[in-house]
C-alpha cells in the first residue's frame, strides 16, 4: 500500500521500555501489562501482556533512546512473524520466534493465542487488521485498532 512515512494515525511518545531499546523494535507491536513499569510500553514477552496491546513503534530506537513513538490508531507499517493474509486479524508475537518479539501473527479468538478464564470466557488481545498479505520478516501495512475480543468456550 506504500503509506509508510506519512502520518495516517494517532501517534504518542512514551518512555522507551527495556526491550524497546533496539533498532529492531521499529514497526513492532508494544504492550502495557505485567512486567512493564508505569506508563512505559514494551515489546511483549508474556501472554498477559497480549491483552494490553497498545500500538506499533514508529521510531528506530537506539541504546541512547529515552523515548519511543507509538502509532495507537490508524495505518502503520508492521513486521510479520509468519504468513498473514489480507483482511486477517493480527496480534503481537510474545515468544520471539521467526520475526521476533512484537512481530505480527495472524490470530483468531479460537486459537491458543487466546486466554481462557475460569468462567469459560475467552479473551484475545489484537493489534488490528492486515491491509495486505505478507510473510516472515516482511513489512506490511496494517490498520492499527487495539482491542480485546471476547467469546465463550
Amino acid at each position: 500500500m506504500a503509506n509508510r512515512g506519512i502520518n495516517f494515525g494517532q501517534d504518542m511518545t512514551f518512555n522507551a521500555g527495556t526491550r524497546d531499546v533496539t533498532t529492531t523494535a521499529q514497526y513492532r507491536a508494544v504492550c502495557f501489562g505485567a512486567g512493564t513499569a508505569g506508563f512505559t510500553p514494551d515489546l511483549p514477552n508474556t501472554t498477559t501482556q497480549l491483552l494490553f496491546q497498545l500500538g506499533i513503534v514508529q521510531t528506530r530506537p537506539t541504546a541512547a533512546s529515552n523515548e519511543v513513538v507509538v502509532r495507537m490508531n490508524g495505518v502503520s507499517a508492521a513486521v510479520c512473524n509468519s504468513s498473514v493474509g489480507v483482511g486477517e486479524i493480527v496480534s503481537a508475537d510474545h515468544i520471539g520466534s521467526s520475526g521476533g518479539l512484537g512481530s505480527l501473527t495472524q490470530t483468531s479468538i479460537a486459537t491458543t493465542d487466546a486466554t481462557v478464564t475460569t468462567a469459560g470466557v475467552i479473551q484475545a488481545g489484537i493489534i488490528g487488521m492486515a491491509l495486505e498479505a505478507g510473510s516472515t520478516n516482511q513489512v506490511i501495512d496494517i490498520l492499527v485498532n487495539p482491542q480485546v475480543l471476547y467469546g465463550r468456550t
Side-chain angles (χ1 to χ4, degrees):
M1 293 192 74
N3 287 329
R4 293 175 196 92
I6 302 171
N7 188 359
F8 272 76
Q10 177 186 7
D11 294 351
M12 285 190 70
T13 302
F14 296 92
N15 290 328
T18 55
R19 290 182 300 278
D20 289 341
V21 184
T22 171
T23 56
T24 60
Q26 186 178 33
Y27 301 138
R28 296 179 192 278
V30 288
C31 304
F32 282 139
T36 62
F39 203 52
T40 305
D42 217 339
L43 296 173
N45 69 348
T46 68
T47 54
T48 303
Q49 288 175 333
L50 293 182
L51 293 178
F52 304 100
Q53 295 181 49
L54 179 66
I56 304 291
V57 175
Q58 299 300 300
T59 51
R60 197 174 187 92
T62 64
S65 297
N66 293 326
E67 296 178 335
V68 63
V69 175
V70 176
R71 172 105 1 113
M72 297 175 60
N73 196 328
V75 177
S76 177
V79 177
C80 294
N81 180 58
S82 55
S83 292
V84 173
V86 64
E88 294 293 339
I89 300 297
V90 290
S91 181
D93 173 53
H94 68 287
I95 300 168
S97 48
S98 303
L101 293 176
S103 58
L104 301 184
T105 58
Q106 191 168 299
T107 193
S108 164
I109 197 163
T111 69
T112 56
D113 296 330
T115 302
V116 179
T117 66
T118 54
V121 174
I122 300 171
Q123 299 173 322
I126 65 165
I127 196 69
M129 181 180 71
L131 296 176
E132 56 189 343
S135 56
T136 304
N137 289 318
Q138 184 177 356
V139 177
I140 64 168
D141 284 336
I142 70 162
L143 177 62
V144 180
N145 185 16
Q147 50 189 298
V148 177
L149 303 178
Y150 293 93
R152 304 275 298 153
T153 57

